[in-house]
Amino acid sequence: MAKDTRLEDAVLRGEMSIVDFCCEKVNGQIERMKERNPDLLWTLEIQRAMWEMFRDGHKNGKKVIWFGGPVPVDLIVAFDCVPVYLDTVPIRLSPNPVLAARFIDAAEKYVPNSMCGIDKVELGMTLLNQFGPEPDAFVYSSVPCDSSRIAYPNMDMILTKKGTPCFAFDTPFRRDERGIQYLVDQTKRFISWMEELTGTKFDQEKYNEVCKKTNRTFEWQGKCAELRMRKPCPLPGRMLVLNGTSNAMSGFDAMGDLLEKEYEVGEMLYELGMGPCPEGEKHRVALLQNMLWSSAGTMDWLEREYNTVAVMDAFGFQYGDIYEHIGDLEDCLRVMARKMQNNPMIHGASGPSENFIYLVDKIFENYEPDVSMFIGHIGCKHTWASAKMVTDMIQEKYGIPSLYIDVDGIDGRYKSLDEIKASVADYMDTVVNK
Amino acid sequence: MSYQKLFDSKISTEAAKAWRAQGKKAVGTICCHVPDEIIRAAGILPVRMRATDCVDSSSGEVWMSTFSCSFARSILQYWMDGVYDLDGIVASDGCMMPSRVFDNAEYIDKKNGKNRFFYQIGAPRIVNDMTLSYYVDELKELIERLEKFSGVKVTDEALKEYIAKYNEARVLVQQVAELRKADNPVINGQDFSSIILAYTDYPIEEYIEMLKEFLADAKNRKPYTEQRARLMIIGSALDDPGYLKIVEDKGGIFVADALCFGTRAFPGQLEVDDKDVLGSIAKYYLERLVCPRMMDDRATLHEYIINTAKEYKVDGIIYEKMQYCECWGGESVLLEDELKEAGIPLLTVEREEHLANAGQLAIRAEAFIEMIEK
Amino acid sequence: MITAGIDCGSQNTKGAIMKDGKVIAQAMQATEFDADLAAKNVYEKMLKDAGITKEDVEKLVITGVGRDMIKWGDNEINEVGAAARGARFVDPACETVIDMGADSCRVIRLNQDGTVMKYEVNDKCASGAGTFIETMARALQISTEEMGDYSLRHTKELATNAQCVVFAESEVISLIHAKEKIEDIAYGVHMGIANRIASMIRRVGLTDTLVMIGGPAYNKGLVSCMSKVFERDIKVLDNNQFVSAYGAAIYAAEK
Amino acid sequence: MAEIEKVDYWRWTESNWRNPEIADVTGCLLTAGVDIGSTSTQAVVLADGVPFVYSNMRTGNNSPDSAINAMNWALKDTGLKTEDIEYTIGTGYGRVNVPFSNKNVTEITCHARGANYIYGPTIRTILDMGGQDCKAIHCDEKGAVTSFMMNDKCAAGTGRGMEVIANLLAVRVEDIGELSFKVDEEPDPVSSTCVIFAKSEATKLMREGWTKEKVLAAYCHAMALRVVRLLERNGMEPDFAITGGIAKNMGVVKRIERIMNVKALEPTMDTQIAGAVGAALIAKDLVEKKRAKA
Ligand SMILES: Nc1ncnc2c1ncn2[C@@H]1O[C@H](COP(=O)(O)OP(=O)(O)O)[C@@H](O)[C@H]1O
Ligand SMILES: Nc1ncnc2c1ncn2[C@@H]1O[C@H](COP(=O)(O)OP(=O)(O)O)[C@@H](O)[C@H]1O
Ligand code: SF4
Ligand code: SF4
Ligand code: SF4
């Protein structure tokens, strides 16, 4: 039976918005899941909650705010607006190369094809104006990543022409005290800007509520991360993708609920001595760059074929900061600033390479992987340009060599799942299993 | 001493060698937010690093991968090969590529037990009062480090002295650029590019002398008369007059540019506020037009390009994009349409630091010239 | 114990039969479209040469890019593992192996115990492999085998720049028009390849000993250019085209 | 030991032509264009701006010889000699090597002018697909170039790749187009259009039991996709036409039309001579301009 591609075709013809597509897709998945695997429904709920929130934002009388890079999301939520984390779009579209290609090609009309697929999709979607609800504002930052530093200001200019207000944070290159203060100062301006945008005053009470929810999200996320440190690791590698979403949705109950559930299930599996590897965990791998969004199937396959589980990826790894003095605005702003600086992969492992090296070192220390893979997204040239330093460190300190392969995490046309698997298999056979 | 050195684009290390022979320090600088005035005031010679004539960047590639801008990668190669024998590097985070040159150079240096001087300035990408004060703080820290390193105290007097010198050079370079406005200019693109590149290697005093001598002699030079089209060049870092030569051999003449190694590096004058000398420096460097690394002055950059093209009576613009250079690569989104609106023809070409496919550039350039010649 | 290995390359299929750590037969044939047939022919020829039958062979292992096409082996091993084993067999001291074939190039760094420490594979552009040289030889109107000798006789350090096989071909032709000598052009071509694979080698780490295997290793001009780039001798093993087939046969004898 | 080439499947047919409607050219203004491409060479002679004779042959290893041979072949049996031509323009990648030319002009300018003549003044977008490169050209109603774009660095997706495949599969390049439609379902494009890797990929597919037709379809498909990107980047404005040798390969042309959802204009003459015709027309303009001045 041929696959039903009516939804995809509608998007390709420009007749359906991305948001509607994602909502329909996720609802379809949920229906199927109800029949086949009702136990796993919880894994999809967050997707539904998020995409429907994007879709219905205007209907619910809220402002829809696009954001890219590290920005104080909790404040957007506290102003009762819908925060749309743009990176979720390319990541959501990437498993379908044809769909991603529509937006990538639209962007490539202007920008070089070497630009990161994440940013190409975001720019392409803006050029084609196909997200769905028109954004009421766009907030972004000068993340230390060239691709987004080019894509965002371009999107800013396109949106500004239409009269959409935009706000840009200047992310300091280094992580230090001066940088934190710098971000706090900018955030204060951002609060006034939001007041003007929404026509409401900043509400400390509402913000406190959001802080609590965010804390809950990061506490559970921390616990899930700890679960992954256990041996055998009870959670599948594929779920690492969620780390991206958690950032965008941390201020909502749904995210905390999901992670709590993930933790419960993981704890249960651990008790039962079960995990994603059918014959028990033989190896654990750390991904030095991002998750393979376009080919997450590689993770399932590694578990099945090699009993090897991905325990952490460098772009999803968080040592999430927690608000300690909720109610103390100055203190909370500092925590937020720290989050903005520490966030490893809201386009993260960027800034000075030493941050990246430090981050990966922490992963090896905490998760004790015995396999190291740099499955490098080609768009992310600045991580590629630190890769040797990082892998040299791993070799010297932990005695583990690293596999390098080039992939396009968003554009599946670059390398197929089979090609990626073949390269990984060669490595597993020759270097890991000797 | 003659000004002929101005026309030799090869990297010259003699000035740095002579400087260091006196027991003084010389550092490499990378990118546009490193104020040379400060480095000189600390008694240190700044040498702006470039990669002219680098044929093989395979060692650079080992560290920075094939997915890196070859200009940046070649600088790392030169650094590793010892082409630049200097006491350290001061960089500003222009785009991520030079930042990685800096990171890798520092890492390799430590690994080899050398421990030279390394400092990277975090330069804002947005211009307002808040970012300016952040930049001032970054420069203050730079000064502290430099003082410790060279043992020379950076005083306001010294800063003012060098500001005056660099201002003088700015005026002179602008005068050289003026020459290009003539219908039959006495310098072409290759000449101008070499003149700008010379600035990277020599102490400012020496550079000023050379410029003065050249300007005094300029009217004796034979004007270029055979050109079929007046061109402007914009895009990624270009430190190779040989590249311009290919186009000029086909009958074009470059009369204007918007390049890192071009007029754009010497705009206006650094106005000093006696009460806040460092602040004046910061203001000048932050506010001057640099490149698409800045996030909020794209419109000004585009305006600059269009106005310059008009002012210099340009027939067409050649926009060269280094492979893997996002910074310049992504500028087309709005620029293309704006140029179209202004009626300025545009040719976009990809390139690499090492001039590999000269023939391909030649054919594009020639066809472009045929298209725009009057 | 008798084992066999077959290396089904993109251009040639090579085979070896080993008995107690010694090679007793080897054969080679162009792979062409029917990899299965080529492998069968190679296998039969070897059996005949060795004077044994299939039943005498305890285990047959297949390697090479075409290994998926051959279903009658007892096991398979990937190209990296085979090359590593083979190279260690022929030269027990080797640390880094450059395995160049018709379309591909791999650089493999070995641990002391002969297992693979790390490796690099070029699979995006054919500009650093045998076919590149073949195409240039055709443009120069000499045979691939002659390229090496011509290059060794160069009198000038000509540089060629183009990476793409096709553009390189026209570059070579324009050099001929420019009356450059074939010797110098051949040298330029080899130097270009050596420079292109230099970063692969540096990435796995430059060791004291480098060995080269695969068909292009017969090309003395190429080898000499590589020696020049790395400032050290490149060892070329005997029977270098068969090394991976040995590796497969050795793997068959393990466990 | 020189290599023995068995049958050269990539050798497309060379041709020459004479306009049957022009019997006598005495008194006519004769101008010529010689296009020395990477793969093919054409010589076209115009009589008062109307095509009189042309030849189309393979470029040899020596461009000046190719130019002379092509010209001689075109003029064969006309009683004319190269010297009888008033003005000749050389174009193509070997344009500087036309010994008897008065001037040289790039193939981009010439193709636009030639296409304007062949397809009429409504032509706005021209895709020139040759042996080693691909160009998307925009022009105005006079056939003057307004913008253009070429493939960079990598020759993937050009005629040379097609020739390699032709040789590999033992199919004549002329037959590729037709054969490539003899498939039940359009296969996915080959993933690599690199000249070398496409060969190994095609070999691999053949080993997996694909038919020749299917492999050809997959290759034509990939090639079409590649050039479409170039077209999209430069913008597509009708009317649209394809020139160059690959324009004769319907396997690629039809696929481009399908992907872009446009119809290319039907050529009225050999698409490979567009460049040379353009050169000869520019030659005519120059002579007329000069005469007007004098
Ligand atoms: N004597 C030789 N001199 C130079 N090159 C050779 C020689 N023999 C083989 N080659 C080259 O080696 C390549 C084939 O090597 P091989 O290892 O068999 O490749 P593969 O394993 O990819 O089939 C061809 O490109 C060929 O040109
Ligand atoms: N009748 C034909 N059918 C299909 N392909 C053809 C035909 N004639 C020529 N070609 C192809 O066209 C290409 C040459 O195109 P051409 O425009 O002449 O190139 P160039 O101008 O670069 O020399 C060759 O690769 C050849 O294979
Ligand atoms: S993956 Fe890398 S290049 Fe892409 S957006 Fe993130 S940080 Fe930037
Ligand atoms: S701006 Fe472009 S050319 Fe300059 S260093 Fe960055 S990537 Fe390279
Ligand atoms: S066509 Fe040329 S450059 Fe492109 S991948 Fe192939 S060999 Fe490399």
Side-chain angles (χ1 to χ4, degrees):
Chain A
M1 194 188 78
K3 243 174 105 184
D4 180 8
T5 59
R6 268 172 302 176
L7 294 177
E8 282 79 359
D9 293 344
V11 176
L12 289 178
R13 284 194 307 268
E15 287 161 6
M16 183 179 225
S17 73
I18 293 174
V19 162
D20 286 337
F21 170 80
C22 292
C23 288
E24 298 256 341
K25 266 287 186 213
V26 118
N27 281 320
Q29 277 174 324
I30 287 180
E31 287 312 310
R32 267 171 280 136
M33 190 76 101
K34 270 185 190 154
E35 280 167 29
R36 277 192 251 142
N37 231 338
D39 291 350
L40 286 178
L41 268 179
W42 59 273
T43 55
L44 288 174
E45 287 301 339
I46 187 76
Q47 292 275 342
R48 168 148 72 185
M50 186 175 87
W51 290 107
E52 290 189 346
M53 176 173 87
F54 294 173
R55 183 190 63 192
D56 301 336
H58 286 161
K59 227 187 292 165
N60 297 334
K62 298 191 180 196
K63 289 209 181 317
V64 172
I65 300 189
W66 285 8
F67 77 90
V71 306
V73 196
D74 290 347
L75 280 172
I76 301 180
V77 182
F79 273 99
D80 209 16
C81 296
V82 174
V84 176
Y85 181 26
L86 290 177
D87 287 8
T88 52
V89 174
I91 292 174
R92 181 67 188 76
L93 297 182
S94 66
N96 186 326
V98 188
L99 275 191
R102 171 175 166 85
F103 301 101
I104 290 172
D105 292 350
E108 279 184 11
K109 224 184 134 191
Y110 300 101
V111 301
N113 57 5
S114 59
M115 185 186 254
C116 173
I118 295 191
D119 298 295
K120 278 190 288 196
V121 170
E122 293 169 12
L123 179 60
M125 151 185 116
T126 312
L127 284 164
L128 295 175
N129 195 15
Q130 211 182 335
F131 172 73
E134 295 269 350
D136 298 295
F138 175 37
V139 182
Y140 62 98
S141 69
S142 68
V143 255
C145 145
D146 287 330
S147 291
S148 31
R149 286 197 292 223
I150 294 308
Y152 295 159
N154 271 315
M155 288 158 65
D156 176 329
M157 287 193 280
I158 297 168
L159 292 170
T160 303
K161 273 197 182 154
K162 292 197 219 168
T164 314
C166 301
F167 188 97
F169 281 88
D170 187 37
T171 314
F173 190 71
R174 248 178 292 114
R175 289 180 196 174
D176 53 14
E177 182 50 37
R178 187 185 302 146
I180 290 180
Q181 199 49 51
Y182 188 41
L183 283 169
V184 168
D185 292 344
Q186 295 183 63
T187 309
K188 285 182 184 158
R189 266 192 204 173
F190 177 63
I191 294 179
S192 320
W193 187 82
M194 282 297 290
E195 286 180 335
E196 203 170 305
L197 178 81
T198 57
T200 56
K201 276 267 158 245
F202 171 71
D203 182 338
Q204 180 72 42
E205 282 309 310
K206 268 196 188 144
Y207 178 54
N208 292 349
E209 283 310 304
V210 181
C211 290
K212 278 182 206 150
K213 289 181 187 172
T214 296
N215 270 358
R216 174 168 173 255
T217 295
F218 282 104
E219 273 156 19
W220 283 116
Q221 187 173 59
K223 285 193 176 163
C224 289
E226 271 164 39
L227 267 184
R228 291 185 173 276
M229 292 177 197
R230 297 197 196 160
K231 287 180 190 162
C233 167
L235 296 170
R238 180 182 272 278
M239 290 199 83
L240 287 171
V241 183
L242 283 176
N243 286 351
T245 323
S246 67
N247 254 309
M249 297 290 290
S250 63
F252 296 91
D253 287 326
M255 196 69 222
D257 294 348
L258 170 87
L259 290 164
E260 183 175 355
K261 183 80 187 173
E262 181 179 342
Y263 179 77
E264 261 173 37
V265 173
E267 183 74 73
M268 187 182 77
L269 289 171
Y270 185 74
E271 290 300 317
L272 295 171
M274 283 164 67
C277 305
E279 290 169 29
E281 180 183 312
K282 295 229 168 77
H283 300 288
R284 45 177 50 207
V285 50
L287 303 177
L288 304 185
Q289 215 211 31
N290 49 21
M291 238 334 256
L292 266 158
W293 303 296
S294 58
S295 338
T298 315
M299 298 300 120
D300 311 339
W301 165 84
L302 257 178
E303 287 157 7
R304 243 182 8 251
E305 291 290 319
Y306 289 95
N307 293 296
T308 298
V309 57
V311 283
M312 195 38 77
D313 66 280
F315 285 11
F317 182 57
Q318 319 244 354
Y319 33 112
D321 288 277
I322 301 287
Y323 294 107
E324 278 173 17
H325 307 284
I326 294 179
D328 176 347
L329 183 60
E330 194 68 29
D331 192 63
C332 288
L333 292 186
R334 289 181 57 79
V335 172
M336 251 186 317
R338 233 176 20 238
K339 279 190 194 196
M340 283 162 74
Q341 280 211 313
N342 287 346
N343 211 315
M345 185 52 209
I346 283 201
H347 306 301
S350 40
S353 299
E354 59 184 4
N355 296 349
F356 189 16
I357 300 173
Y358 174 81
L359 182 90
V360 170
D361 192 9
K362 280 275 155 291
I363 293 179
F364 275 75
E365 208 175 291
N366 295 337
Y367 295 83
E368 300 180 342
D370 63 337
V371 182
S372 162
M373 294 187 185
F374 190 91
I375 305 188
H377 171 49
I378 46 165
C380 201
K381 293 163 287 289
H382 60 269
T383 32
W384 270 101
S386 312
K388 183 159 164 65
M389 291 184 274
V390 171
T391 52
D392 277 6
M393 180 279 290
I394 299 170
Q395 179 81 50
E396 275 158 33
K397 200 160 166 192
Y398 301 93
I400 302 170
S402 303
L403 163 73
Y404 278 92
I405 33 175
D406 50 325
V407 301
D408 191 314
I410 300 297
D411 192 342
R413 293 173 297 183
Y414 182 75
K415 252 187 202 171
S416 67
L417 184 59
D418 284 338
E419 284 171 274
I420 298 173
K421 279 189 203 163
S423 305
V424 174
D426 277 354
Y427 187 75
M428 292 302 292
D429 293 341
T430 32
V431 178
V432 178
N433 292 328
K434 307 239 157 119
Chain B
M1 191 181 64
S2 98
Y3 66 79
Q4 267 319 313
K5 279 198 261 180
L6 284 178
F7 292 95
D8 184 3
S9 64
K10 274 202 205 64
I11 292 174
S12 158
T13 52
E14 51 167 301
K17 239 186 232 138
W19 186 272
R20 295 180 77 223
Q22 301 168 33
K24 293 191 284 190
K25 310 246 187 257
V27 297
T29 67
I30 306 178
C31 248
C32 305
H33 288 84
V34 184
D36 285 343
E37 289 90 338
I38 295 181
I39 299 184
R40 280 302 302 272
I44 301 170
L45 178 72
V47 176
R48 170 106 193 228
M49 291 167 83
R50 54 188 169 113
T52 311
D53 298 332
C54 182
V55 211
D56 166 33
S57 59
S58 58
S59 304
E61 199 179 304
V62 168
W63 290 90
M64 295 186 56
S65 88
T66 21
F67 309 107
S68 57
C69 143
S70 53
F71 165 69
R73 190 207 295 158
S74 302
I75 292 184
L76 181 63
Q77 177 87 29
Y78 270 178
W79 174 259
M80 291 171 69
D81 289 351
V83 170
Y84 282 113
D85 187 13
L86 300 167
D87 301 295
I89 296 181
V90 178
S92 64
D93 66 315
C95 78
M96 287 307 285
M97 287 299 140
S99 290
R100 289 299 181 248
V101 171
F102 177 89
D103 290 342
N104 281 296
E106 184 179 19
Y107 183 91
I108 296 166
D109 212 56
K110 281 218 179 89
K111 206 172 114 179
N112 296 339
K114 286 213 175 132
N115 285 319
R116 284 180 275 192
F117 181 84
F118 284 90
Y119 186 77
Q120 170 142 275
I121 303 162
R125 280 158 212 281
I126 295 174
V127 187
N128 62 39
D129 52 329
M130 208 177 265
T131 59
L132 182 63
S133 77
Y134 179 82
Y135 184 46
V136 169
D137 288 342
E138 287 282 304
L139 294 181
K140 275 189 192 145
E141 187 169 339
L142 169 69
I143 291 177
E144 271 172 38
R145 303 271 194 108
L146 287 174
E147 286 173 341
K148 238 183 257 158
F149 174 57
S150 69
V152 176
K153 188 107 191 90
V154 175
T155 60
D156 275 3
E157 277 53 52
L159 285 175
K160 281 200 282 194
E161 178 192 337
Y162 286 104
I163 289 172
K165 282 190 181 147
Y166 279 90
N167 271 343
E168 188 179 357
R170 286 175 189 124
V171 172
L172 294 170
V173 169
Q174 286 156 22
Q175 283 172 8
V176 177
E178 270 310 293
L179 296 173
R180 309 172 86 185
K181 281 190 181 154
D183 283 339
N184 292 312
V186 289
I187 50 169
N188 63 9
Q190 303 158 58
D191 299 336
F192 188 74
S193 165
S194 311
I195 292 175
I196 298 289
L197 290 173
Y199 143 80
T200 65
D201 294 335
Y202 297 100
I204 196 71
E205 296 82 354
E206 207 174 314
Y207 188 57
I208 289 173
E209 284 317 306
M210 290 194 280
L211 287 177
K212 279 188 185 154
E213 282 175 35
F214 167 72
L215 279 164
D217 196 31
K219 46 189 173 312
N220 304 326
R221 286 171 67 89
K222 204 168 139 267
Y224 291 93
T225 52
E226 297 292 304
Q227 58 273 11
R228 293 157 67 188
R230 293 170 68 86
L231 301 169
M232 173 170 182
I233 184 150
I234 63 172
S236 311
L238 177 71
D239 57 1
D240 180 6
Y243 187 85
L244 303 172
K245 179 172 189 306
I246 294 173
V247 181
E248 296 193 324
D249 282 351
K250 293 291 168 200
I253 185 165
F254 288 102
V255 296
D257 66 68
L259 296 171
C260 300
F261 294 103
T263 331
R264 233 190 42 227
F266 300 87
Q269 288 283 287
L270 199 167
E271 308 280 353
V272 190
D273 172 356
D274 270 342
K275 289 189 289 299
D276 184 10
V277 181
L278 185 59
S280 316
I281 296 180
K283 193 165 153 36
Y284 174 80
Y285 276 91
L286 193 61
E287 286 181 357
R288 73 174 181 170
L289 192 61
V290 274
C291 73
R293 84 172 281 283
M294 297 302 283
M295 296 205 313
D296 61 349
D297 67 351
R298 297 310 220 302
T300 333
L301 179 63
H302 297 179
E303 228 169 78
Y304 171 82
I305 292 172
I306 291 171
N307 290 342
T308 311
K310 287 186 177 150
E311 204 181 326
Y312 285 79
K313 299 190 293 276
V314 157
D315 301 313
I317 295 183
I318 295 188
Y319 178 2
E320 45 88 15
K321 299 179 176 184
M322 185 78 83
Q323 219 195 352
Y324 302 119
C325 172
E326 278 7 335
C327 201
W328 273 101
E331 207 45 37
S332 321
V333 183
L334 296 165
L335 183 62
E336 258 177 38
D337 288 343
E338 289 172 8
L339 288 176
K340 204 173 274 169
E341 231 164 78
I344 305 172
L346 175 73
L347 172 71
T348 309
V349 278
E350 267 200 25
R351 65 175 259 262
E352 298 245 28
E353 179 64 29
H354 172 38
L355 228 177
N357 298 321
Q360 290 186 55
L361 170 65
I363 162 97
R364 285 165 177 72
E366 193 174 353
F368 186 61
I369 293 168
E370 282 169 3
M371 179 177 125
I372 60 176
E373 75 183 319
K374 303 247 161 71
Chain C
M1 180 165 64
I2 300 179
T3 58
I6 291 179
D7 168 15
C8 182
S10 60
Q11 194 173 88
N12 298 306
T13 297
K14 286 114 347 193
I17 296 184
M18 294 181 76
K19 182 178 181 183
D20 303 327
K22 280 208 181 65
V23 181
I24 56 170
Q26 63 186 42
M28 175 167 99
Q29 176 180 329
T31 308
E32 297 192 329
F33 291 146
D34 197 340
D36 190 69
L37 180 71
K40 274 201 180 102
N41 289 344
V42 163
Y43 196 32
E44 266 156 31
K45 180 159 189 316
M46 291 193 301
L47 290 170
K48 206 166 137 225
D49 287 354
I52 55 173
T53 65
K54 276 188 189 127
E55 285 66 38
D56 298 323
V57 178
E58 199 139 322
K59 215 170 177 190
L60 166 68
V61 169
I62 318 281
T63 185
V65 289
R67 66 178 191 272
D68 299 348
M69 296 296 114
I70 298 153
K71 310 282 182 215
W72 38 272
D74 298 307
N75 201 352
E76 45 178 78
I77 180 171
N78 65 56
E79 298 89 280
V80 178
R85 282 175 174 79
R88 260 298 155 100
F89 166 71
V90 189
D91 177 12
C94 75
E95 295 170 293
T96 301
V97 188
I98 306 164
D99 174 13
M100 198 186 280
D103 297 354
S104 60
C105 183
R106 301 179 194 88
V107 180
I108 307 162
R109 169 91 177 268
L110 301 178
N111 289 313
Q112 213 131 53
D113 64 357
T115 52
V116 177
M117 182 195 292
K118 43 182 153 174
Y119 61 85
E120 286 277 325
V121 184
N122 158 29
D123 58 1
K124 268 281 158 244
C125 178
S127 59
T131 318
F132 187 86
I133 307 179
E134 279 176 53
T135 314
M136 297 314 119
R138 202 169 310 142
L140 288 169
Q141 298 185 326
I142 60 176
S143 75
T144 311
E145 288 75 13
E146 288 168 322
M147 278 290 279
D149 288 334
Y150 271 97
S151 160
L152 290 177
R153 291 199 302 267
H154 75 276
T155 50
K156 175 166 146 193
E157 303 206 342
L158 193 80
T160 66
N161 295 326
Q163 276 210 17
C164 172
V165 179
V166 175
F167 293 141
E169 199 177 359
S170 13
E171 188 182 3
V172 163
I173 291 172
S174 35
L175 288 171
I176 299 175
H177 288 168
K179 304 272 182 293
E180 295 290 354
K181 280 171 39 198
I182 297 184
E183 286 79 357
D184 299 335
I185 303 176
Y187 169 82
V189 166
H190 292 146
M191 212 54 197
I193 296 181
N195 277 328
R196 274 193 293 278
I197 60 174
S199 61
M200 284 173 74
I201 299 182
R202 295 219 168 90
R203 215 190 292 269
V204 303
L206 201 53
T207 51
D208 294 341
T209 59
L210 285 171
V211 305
M212 186 166 170
I213 63 171
Y218 290 120
N219 182 332
K220 294 202 179 61
L222 176 63
V223 174
S224 117
C225 286
M226 303 238 281
S227 305
K228 189 163 171 187
V229 170
F230 296 109
E231 297 169 343
R232 66 202 66 201
D233 281 348
I234 309 272
K235 201 159 165 187
V236 176
L237 306 176
D238 294 340
N239 286 318
N240 56 54
Q241 220 164 352
F242 291 92
V243 171
S244 295
Y246 299 165
I250 292 164
Y251 178 68
E254 286 169 16
K255 280 172 273 184
Chain D
M1 188 191 82
E3 216 160 299
I4 309 151
E5 302 234 293
K6 290 151 264 171
V7 188
D8 294 333
Y9 291 98
W10 54 268
R11 275 183 199 273
W12 39 274
T13 322
E14 302 184 320
S15 60
N16 70 346
W17 173 90
R18 177 177 175 159
N19 191 336
E21 279 156 33
I22 304 181
D24 185 15
V25 291
T26 33
C28 291
L29 164 58
L30 294 179
T31 57
V34 180
D35 178 357
I36 307 195
S38 60
T39 319
S40 70
T41 296
Q42 295 83 18
V44 172
V45 178
L46 304 181
D48 287 337
V50 180
F52 171 49
V53 289
Y54 74 68
S55 70
N56 178 8
M57 57 198 289
R58 284 182 296 275
T59 303
N61 274 349
N62 184 327
S63 309
D65 287 353
S66 302
I68 295 168
N69 292 342
M71 200 59 177
N72 288 344
W73 197 29
L75 294 177
K76 199 167 155 251
D77 303 330
T78 60
L80 293 171
K81 283 204 283 304
T82 309
E83 299 82 67
D84 300 328
I85 292 162
E86 172 99 22
Y87 203 93
T88 303
I89 288 185
T91 185
Y93 110 122
R95 63 188 170 283
V96 291
N97 291 323
V98 183
F100 47 87
S101 74
N102 304 76
K103 185 184 164 73
N104 70 70
V105 175
T106 62
E107 56 267 37
I108 296 160
T109 306
C110 292
H111 265 275
R113 189 62 211 277
N116 173 274
Y117 179 83
I118 297 176
Y119 299 94
T122 55
I123 193 81
R124 285 295 169 276
T125 308
I126 302 146
L127 182 66
D128 172 32
M129 298 178 69
Q132 284 193 3
D133 54 29
C134 245
K135 314 172 186 83
I137 309 169
H138 275 307
C139 66
D140 62 16
E141 69 291 344
K142 295 203 196 81
V145 180
T146 50
S147 74
F148 64 92
M149 205 166 269
M150 285 170 83
N151 64 321
D152 268 292
K153 282 199 206 71
C154 179
T158 60
R160 184 76 186 89
M162 207 42 106
E163 293 176 7
V164 171
I165 296 285
N167 248 354
L168 181 79
L169 302 182
V171 173
R172 289 157 45 83
V173 276
E174 276 115 330
D175 301 333
I176 288 179
E178 201 179 316
L179 283 175
S180 78
F181 291 112
K182 293 195 174 149
V183 285
D184 303 332
E185 205 188 328
E186 180 80 353
D188 283 342
V190 291
S191 58
S192 160
T193 35
C194 161
V195 179
I196 301 301
F197 284 130
K199 187 172 157 188
S200 27
E201 193 167 346
T203 311
K204 187 168 153 264
L205 293 172
M206 292 293 285
R207 284 177 194 156
E208 279 172 12
W210 282 38
T211 59
K212 272 184 192 178
E213 289 78 6
K214 201 168 161 193
V215 175
L216 289 173
Y219 194 80
C220 289
H221 189 178
M223 189 150 160
L225 279 173
R226 235 187 124 94
V227 294
V228 157
R229 296 198 125 191
L230 192 70
L231 265 181
E232 278 177 341
R233 262 190 213 192
N234 204 35
M236 163 62 92
E237 209 185 310
D239 290 347
F240 166 63
I242 308 181
T243 62
I246 306 294
K248 297 181 196 168
N249 183 333
M250 285 304 136
V252 179
V253 172
K254 291 275 178 262
R255 285 177 174 90
I256 295 174
E257 290 181 339
R258 203 190 56 220
I259 301 168
M260 293 290 290
N261 201 12
V262 287
K263 189 91 192 65
L265 296 185
E266 293 287 340
T268 49
M269 32 175 120
D270 189 338
T271 53
Q272 248 168 315
I273 65 162
V277 168
L281 284 167
I282 296 172
K284 174 179 159 270
D285 294 349
L286 280 176
V287 174
E288 283 170 352
K289 224 191 258 167
K290 249 189 233 156
R291 285 187 183 167
K293 251 193 218 160

